Every structure is written in C-alpha cells, then in structure tokens.
C-alpha cells in the first residue's frame, strides 16, 4: 500500500515514516500540489506552530488540492496540526491566513489551571464504531502534546473526546476523513494498530454511534540515557554519582544507547530521554553521533524521544555559524520529538532577568516559535546552597528545609549550574524555570545534583518549589532507588512525570514493577501489558 505523506518540513515526521514502513506500507512524499490529488491514502502529520503550518501550505499551493481531495472524501489521516488544519482557524494564528475549512469550528487554547501544554498519555472516550479503532482496546492511552484543541461546531464529526480538566474533542471522523489530536506514531502498540487500520481497512467509515468511556491522564515514567564517548572512543550510556561518571578513572559503561532505548520501550517506558552529557564541549553536528542514535532508535521505538546536550549557537573552526535552531532542526528530522536545553538556558535566563527584555532570538524563543513550545524542554542542574536565614540567600528563592545542612542550616536555595555541574551561577532554579516559561519553554526537566545517582529518593522540596512556580509540566529527576520513591513524588508533589536512570540501567527495578506499584496505590499510569 502506498501512503502519500504531506511533510511541510517542520518537526519530526521520521517516526510516522518508520511506523508506516514497519507496517509494510510505502511512503510517497508530496513534492508538488498534484501529488495530493493523486494520493490513494494521504497522511498529514502536522507539528509545531499553526500559523507557520498554514503559511507554508499556502506558499506551496497545497491548500486548493487539499480541499479538493477532502471534498471528494478520499482517505485522509491528519495528526495533531494536520487535524487542526481541517477547521476554520486557530487562536495560534493571528495572520488571518485561510485554513482548509473542511469542518466548521475553530482551534482554541486550553483554558485551564492545569499545566499547559497538555503532555502525556491520556485516554479517549470513543463515540463512533470506527474501523480505525478496530482491535484497539477501549482503555488504551495515546500520547498527547499540545496547547490548543479543536472546538467543532458539528457534533457529528466527533470520533473521540478526552478529559483534561474538561472534555475536549481529541479526534474527528467524517466519512474517510480522520484526524487525531494525539500522536499514533508516538503511542506505542495502540497507535501503530490505529495506523495499520488506516492503511489496510478497506472501508474506513464508521457504522454506528457508541459511547465507550476511558480513564484519564497518566503520570509518566521516563527512562534517561546519559550518553558520551568513553576513553576508548565508544559511544556509551553512562551514569554518574552526583554527575561524576568515572569509576577509578574510567567512564562507567552501562550499555549501548540504541539497544537500551529499545529495551526500555519494550519494558513500558512512556518516553525516552537522551542527554549528550559532553555536548557543551563538542559541537553536536560535528561527527553527529547522537543523530545516528536517534535515527536508529526511532526505527523501533514508538514513544516520544527527547534529546539534550549542546543545543546552542555555535561557530566552527572555519568560522561557519550554526544557530541552536539549526542544531535542533537536525535533531527533529532525525527522530527527536523534543529537545532539551541546559547550559544555554541559564545564559538566556540571566540575560532576560537582567534586561527584562525578550530578544526573540534566543534558542528557547526561536525553537519554540518554529516547533511549538511543547518541543522545548529546559534541563535544570541545581545544587543546594544552605543558609542560616532567608536574608543570607541574596534574594534567591529560599525554602525552609526538613533536611538541614552540614552546619545545621535550616534554609536552602537551589543554585543553577552549567556544563554538567562544573560551573555554578548566581541564579536559582525557581527563577530559571519561571524565566524560561516566559520565554516559551514547554516543560522543565528538573535534575538535582545532590541526589543524582544516590538511590536515596527525590528532592521533594525542590520539586514542589519549582512546580508551584510554573504552569508548564515538570519532570522530577535524580535519586530514584526503589518503587516507593516514584510514589512519593506523585503523592507529595504535582510533578507530571518522573525520570530515572541508574535503577533501570542496573536492572534493580523493572519499569513495569514501578507501574504496578503506582497502580496499586491508585496513581494513573499507562499499562503496557
Ligand atoms: O548544558 O545544554 O549541553 O546539556 C547537557 C545535559 O547533560 C544537561 O541536561 C545535563 O543535565 C546533562 N549532564 C551533563 N553532565 C552530566 C553528568 O552526569 N556528568 N547528566 C549530565 C545529567 C542527570 C539526569 C540523570 C538523573 C537520574 N544527568 O538526567 O539521568 O539524575 O539519575 P538517577 O536516576 O540515576 O539518579 P547542555
């Protein structure tokens, strides 16, 4: 089966391509407007910013053939923005460019006190007996990552709804035209099944209405792979103790990145994060080791992939300049869904807090403008600084701690570091997170150098301090040693996800055991059994 793919050049379409190819389909990319009308089945994965998407579709003269194709009720599957484009316009688009206007209704930003973007695995309430959902279990969860959702005027197009503070429409179907807000290509086996049905079901039309209810948003469990080249020149997954990755002088080697990522996917990880921990030193596009890792991983791993390390502007030895956006774009094209910025975020936040002005040119602003803020994660590497009184914290966000310092100091603040903890800065983690949110970041990966690799549990005081200061999702990281540590994070903080490394690499606790433990305690997680 030939599937025509409409890729307008923003974001990660590699996973969609990999999924279709894994299912035995052949991809034919749209290179000119007439390819749209010639398609047997058309797949449109939209990623990033709505205004940018419509602008590109208009420039390439794709709007008219798309309308004609849709009007003829030809098989169409729009993903995320690819579905939003079917409606009349979006709050994200202030240009007033014309959309496809296939369905009546608009795209609005979430109006909620919950974290926006809505990121993670959520259930879908099925409203139609659609062949696209054939053999997909009703309580299956799908991966969402978006700040805007559709508001159709005509109820009859609704295929599923999803609850996130309130019920919103998460997919639509009319005849052979299907659109999902969630990403099937990132939703593990369930999503792959959906795509398989789209490719191989002869008649896609829904026969009757149904009303099958689903469970809500899951807390996410993320496996993290710190990657670097060891002294023998091999790219390895390593793991530090408070960021020191050497044992008797040698870089710890805990496995190969692509193999480990596949293992964690099969074991039920909800996301995989790769951190190129020496990225601050080496230019990531030079020998491109992480690009190959992403390309190979995304062939078999159908959950979101984040890549961090070295995302910043760079001038090479020949004087050629690369922007952080260039680096990020290369990663997105190689299979990444999100990029994570560490050291550069500290520089940007310091500058922003000093001047009070957004330049529009920082890596955070540029990447979120093109790819959407959900694609920009800020990796924070803080260390505790103990003080006797809040006055000693020099205006930094200070907390009264239950775990006093070495000299019985009752307070602490969390100092930001750069270059993998090698250098400290006069900026606290709460101020950094707030500034980055204002600049357009979509998520915070909150590490903690004091806790990293200790297996002693998470710094819940740090997590609460940052989580309570921002409305974007927070991923708690550093210190997991047993199942209960994950439970403590979800019980005592409102973090949306927990990331761990060492216990998974050393096979101390399988991911499924963590999930079973959480399920037994009524924490909603995605079950992959
Ligand atoms: O500054 O943009 O180039 O990004 C560098 C990235 O590399 C940052 O995200 C930074 O956190 C990471 N990094 C740099 N050096 C190290 C190191 O370990 N020497 N690793 C490092 C950070 C921390 C976590 C770890 C958790 C969980 N690793 O991601 O996986 O602490 O560990 P645990 O469960 O075993 O406790 P830039």
């Amino acid at each position: 089966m030939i599937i025509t793919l409409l890729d307008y050049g923003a974001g990660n379409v590699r996973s969609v391509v990999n999924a279709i190819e894994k299912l035995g389909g052949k991809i034919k990319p749209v290179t000119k407007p007439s390819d749209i009308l010639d398609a047997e089945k058309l797949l449109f994965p939209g990623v990033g910013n709505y205004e940018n998407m419509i602008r590109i579709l208009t420039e390439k003269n794709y709007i008219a053939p798309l309308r004609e194709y849709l009007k003829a009720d030809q098989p169409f599957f729009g993903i995320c923005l690819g579905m939003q484009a079917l409606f009349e316009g979006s709050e994200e688009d202030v240009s007033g460019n014309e959309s496809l206007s296939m369905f009546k209704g608009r795209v609005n930003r979430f109006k909620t006190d919950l974290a926006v973007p809505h990121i993670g695995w959520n259930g879908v309430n099925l409203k139609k007996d659609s062949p696209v959902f054939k053999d997909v279990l009703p309580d299956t969860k799908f991966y969402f990552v978006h700040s805007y959702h559709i508001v159709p005027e005509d109820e009859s197009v609704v295929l599923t709804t999803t609850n996130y503070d309130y019920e919103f429409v998460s997919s639509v179907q009319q005849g052979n035209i299907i659109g999902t807000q969630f990403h099937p290509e990132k939703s593990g086996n369930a999503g792959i099944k959906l795509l398989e049905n789209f490719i191989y079901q002869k008649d896609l039309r829904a026969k009757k209405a149904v009303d099958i209810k689903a469970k809500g948003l899951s807390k996410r469990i993320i496996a993290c792979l710190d990657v670097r080249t060891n002294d023998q020149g091999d790219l390895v997954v390593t793991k530090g103790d408070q960021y020191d990755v050497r044992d008797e002088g040698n870089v710890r080697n805990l496995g190969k990145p692509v193999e480990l990522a596949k293992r964690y996917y099969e074991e039920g990880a909800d996301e995989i994060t790769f951190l190129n921990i020496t990225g601050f030193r080496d230019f990531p596009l030079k020998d491109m080791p992480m690009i190959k890792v992403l390309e190979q991983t995304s062939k078999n791993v159908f959950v979101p992939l984040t890549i961090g390390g070295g995302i910043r502007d760079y001038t090479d030895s020949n004087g050629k300049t690369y922007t952080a956006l260039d680096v990020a774009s290369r990663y997105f094209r190689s299979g990444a869904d999100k990029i994570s910025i560490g050291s550069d975020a500290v520089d940007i936040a310091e500058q922003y807090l000093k001047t009070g002005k957004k330049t529009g040119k920082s890596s955070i602003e540029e990447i979120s403008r093109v790819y959407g803020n959900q694609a920009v994660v800020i990796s924070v590497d803080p260390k505790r600084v103990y003080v006797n009184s809040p006055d000693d914290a020099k205006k930094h966000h200070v907390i009264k701690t239950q775990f006093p310092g070495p000299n019985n100091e009752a307070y602490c603040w969390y100092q930001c570091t750069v270059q993998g903890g090698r250098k400290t800065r006069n900026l606290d983690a709460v101020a950094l997170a707030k500034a980055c949110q204002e600049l357009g970041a979509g998520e915070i990966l909150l590490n903690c150098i004091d806790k990293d690799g200790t297996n002693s549990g998470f710094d819940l005081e740090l997590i609460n301090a940052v989580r309570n200061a921002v409305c974007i999702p927070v991923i708690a990281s550093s210190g997991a040693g047993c199942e209960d540590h994950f439970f403590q994070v979800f019980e005592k903080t409102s973090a949306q996800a927990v990331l761990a490394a060492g216990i998974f690499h050393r096979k101390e606790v399988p991911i499924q055991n963590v999930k079973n433990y959480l399920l037994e305690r009524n924490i909603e997680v995605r079950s992959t059994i």
Side-chain angles (χ1 to χ4, degrees):
M1 170 63 73
I2 295 177
I3 303 296
T4 304
L5 181 81
L6 178 54
D7 170 17
Y8 60 97
N12 170 21
V13 297
R14 184 174 285 267
S15 303
V16 175
V17 172
N18 287 338
I20 300 297
E21 287 178 351
K22 206 177 171 72
L23 290 165
K26 280 210 165 49
I27 291 285
K28 179 173 183 274
V30 172
T31 55
K32 53 185 184 314
S34 62
D35 291 340
I36 293 172
L37 292 171
D38 293 343
E40 211 175 319
K41 293 203 171 182
L42 183 64
L43 188 56
F44 180 16
V47 196
N49 174 286
Y50 187 99
E51 187 172 319
N52 192 40
M53 168 186 69
I54 296 293
R55 186 182 51 76
I56 298 173
L57 293 181
T58 308
E59 278 168 14
K60 291 188 180 245
N61 295 321
Y62 287 170
I63 299 275
L66 271 170
R67 281 186 180 148
E68 196 179 329
Y69 182 89
L70 293 163
K71 286 258 149 61
D73 194 26
Q74 298 282 3
F76 172 93
F77 199 129
I79 300 173
C80 192
L81 286 186
M83 174 193 70
Q84 295 182 4
L86 295 171
F87 288 82
E88 292 168 303
S90 169
E91 282 181 1
E92 199 180 11
D93 186 351
V94 290
S95 70
N97 273 326
E98 256 197 69
S99 183
L100 295 176
S101 302
M102 175 68 198
F103 297 143
K104 282 208 168 309
R106 293 188 61 80
V107 185
N108 291 345
R109 194 177 159 83
F110 270 109
K111 290 178 186 60
T112 171
D113 291 334
L114 297 185
V116 177
H118 165 224
I119 298 184
W121 296 79
N122 208 336
V124 296
N125 308 304
L126 194 59
K127 305 288 182 189
K128 283 180 186 179
D129 182 18
S130 169
V132 179
F133 271 85
K134 186 172 176 283
D135 298 331
V136 178
L137 295 175
D139 62 351
T140 304
K141 290 178 191 278
F142 295 92
Y143 189 77
F144 287 83
V145 51
H146 60 128
S147 302
Y148 296 80
H149 64 82
I150 52 166
V151 185
E153 274 179 27
D154 178 1
E155 279 251 333
S156 72
V157 301
V158 177
L159 176 58
T160 64
T161 63
T162 292
N163 301 311
Y164 189 61
D165 197 11
Y166 51 87
E167 199 171 339
F168 70 93
V169 178
S170 51
S171 67
V172 288
Q173 178 165 11
Q174 181 177 283
N176 290 306
I177 298 162
I178 296 142
T180 62
Q181 182 59 64
F182 53 86
H183 290 261
E185 79 286 9
K186 288 286 151 192
S187 298
N189 289 338
I192 299 296
K193 184 71 201 159
L194 221 69
L195 291 172
E196 185 180 348
N197 288 339
F198 173 68
I199 299 177
Y200 294 112
Q201 288 291 316
K202 289 226 160 55
D203 186 359
L204 292 168
R205 287 166 299 174
K207 304 285 176 296
K208 60 177 192 305
V210 294
D211 191 11
I212 301 173
K213 296 260 182 294
K215 290 188 181 151
L217 184 68
S218 290
K219 297 290 186 178
R220 287 171 280 152
I221 306 299
I222 302 175
C224 181
L225 288 76
D226 289 354
V227 180
R228 62 161 287 169
T229 308
N230 66 10
D231 301 321
Q232 289 72 46
D234 302 319
L235 197 67
V236 298
V237 174
T238 189
K239 184 67 212 76
D241 289 332
Q242 300 182 313
Y243 286 34
D244 179 0
V245 297
R246 289 183 184 267
D247 237 353
E248 295 171 1
N250 296 317
V251 172
R252 274 187 211 107
N253 179 350
L254 292 163
K256 295 186 178 161
V258 179
E259 283 172 18
L260 265 191
K262 184 163 179 273
R263 188 185 114 202
Y264 295 143
Y265 169 62
E266 287 165 356
E267 290 178 359
D270 297 317
E271 290 182 34
I272 311 279
T273 294
F274 293 105
L275 296 176
N276 174 6
I277 67 169
T278 51
F280 68 88
R281 219 184 275 148
D282 316 316
F283 178 48
L285 298 188
K286 196 175 128 221
D287 51 4
M288 303 194 286
M290 298 309 289
I291 285 170
K292 290 189 193 104
V293 166
L294 280 170
E295 285 173 354
Q296 286 168 19
T297 300
S298 62
K299 282 190 182 144
N300 295 304
V301 173
F302 296 102
V303 293
L305 302 176
T306 301
I307 173 97
I311 301 195
R312 63 193 155 91
D313 298 344
Y314 186 88
T315 305
D316 72 12
S317 49
N318 301 321
K320 185 167 166 33
T321 300
Y322 300 84
T323 65
L325 181 62
D326 294 333
V327 180
S329 300
R330 194 62 214 273
Y331 280 143
F332 289 128
R333 282 201 300 278
S334 306
D337 301 284
K338 308 186 233 182
I339 52 86
S340 130
I341 306 175
S343 306
D344 200 36
V346 176
D347 291 343
I348 294 164
E350 281 179 340
Q351 198 57 26
Y352 172 58
L353 291 170
K354 200 163 107 195
T355 61
K357 286 201 184 94
K358 295 181 185 175
T359 63
K361 296 205 160 64
S362 70
S363 56
I364 300 173
E365 291 160 282
E366 289 213 309
I367 299 169
S368 61
R369 188 164 50 243
V370 176
Y371 293 98
N373 60 355
Q374 81 291 334
V376 179
V377 182
I378 304 301
S379 174
V380 190
D381 298 312
K383 265 184 190 162
R384 273 186 174 215
V385 178
Y386 289 100
V387 286
N388 287 313
S389 100
D391 296 339
D392 299 339
K394 298 188 187 121
K395 297 198 182 141
H396 292 302
H397 183 98
V398 69
I399 59 160
K400 190 164 186 353
T401 176
Q402 285 186 317
F403 307 97
N407 301 310
N408 222 21
E409 298 95 333
Y411 295 87
C412 75
W413 62 282
Y414 292 92
Q415 182 167 32
C416 292
T417 67
V418 294
Q419 301 189 358
R422 285 168 184 78
K423 292 185 182 158
T424 54
R425 289 293 183 74
N426 186 26
L427 177 70
D428 68 74
V430 172
L432 172 71
K434 280 165 73 173
C436 291
Q437 171 178 277
E438 283 168 30
L439 290 163
E443 208 173 11
I444 303 289
L445 164 52
L446 187 56
N447 302 300
C448 176
I449 297 184
D450 311 285
K451 286 290 191 174
D452 173 62
T454 62
N455 285 38
S456 64
F458 293 81
D459 189 329
L460 303 178
E461 294 175 333
L462 166 65
I463 300 164
N464 273 322
V466 172
R467 179 68 194 96
N468 295 340
V470 294
C471 55
I472 54 178
V474 169
I475 303 165
S477 163
S478 306
C482 63
E483 290 93 331
D484 195 57
H485 291 154
F486 292 81
F487 177 63
Q488 293 303 321
V489 173
F490 295 132
E491 182 72 355
K492 298 195 174 131
T493 81
S494 58
Q496 283 79 1
V498 167
L499 172 147
I503 56 164
F504 297 149
H505 301 337
R506 294 185 297 267
K507 297 193 174 165
E508 287 159 9
V509 180
I511 293 171
Q512 197 53 53
N513 287 21
V514 173
K515 291 196 165 180
N516 292 343
Y517 189 90
L518 294 170
L519 278 172
E520 282 160 17
R521 283 155 188 78
N522 295 320
I523 303 287
E524 189 65 38
V525 292
R526 178 182 70 114
S527 180
T528 47
I529 301 170

